[in-house]
Amino acid sequence: MKVSLDIVVRSTEIDVNGHVNNAKYLEYLEWGREEWYERSDLHYDEFTKLGVQTVTVNININYRKECKQGDLLKITTTPERMGNTSYSLKQEIHNQSGELVADAIVTSVAMDIETRKGRPVPDALRKLFA
């Protein structure tokens, strides 16, 4: 399932170079992932009921074009890869002109809440990658 989230770049996200700070892109991606989970009906409470948490273990990001205050951005999130205990989401950020400004592959691991160890990805999440 592909999910999109629209945001506006705010003044507090701009660095001394006059564009969005690189760390903010990671935050934008996180907002996009949270939107993906929410629209997939996998709220934090649902994971808790399953006894699992998801933990980001790797982000491979490409910064393609700078963004400035007032830009309208669309963050898209789509399933990329499913493993046994890990999975990856592909994320892209486009500006109001449709230009790709950043893209990333984000890998997460399913972790047992009690043992704090990796565990198989729950079926409720796995089915979204079919």
Side-chain angles (χ1 to χ4, degrees), residues 73-88:
L73 304 179
K74 181 178 291 295
I75 305 156
T76 58
T77 305
T78 55
E80 176 75 5
R81 181 198 62 80
M82 176 58 67
N84 182 39
T85 61
S86 67
Y87 60 97
S88 299

Side-chain angles (χ1 to χ4, degrees), residues 42-55:
L42 284 176
H43 310 271
Y44 186 79
D45 303 4
E46 293 303 314
F47 281 117
T48 302
K49 289 176 192 172
L50 296 169
V52 68
Q53 293 175 329
T54 60
V55 181

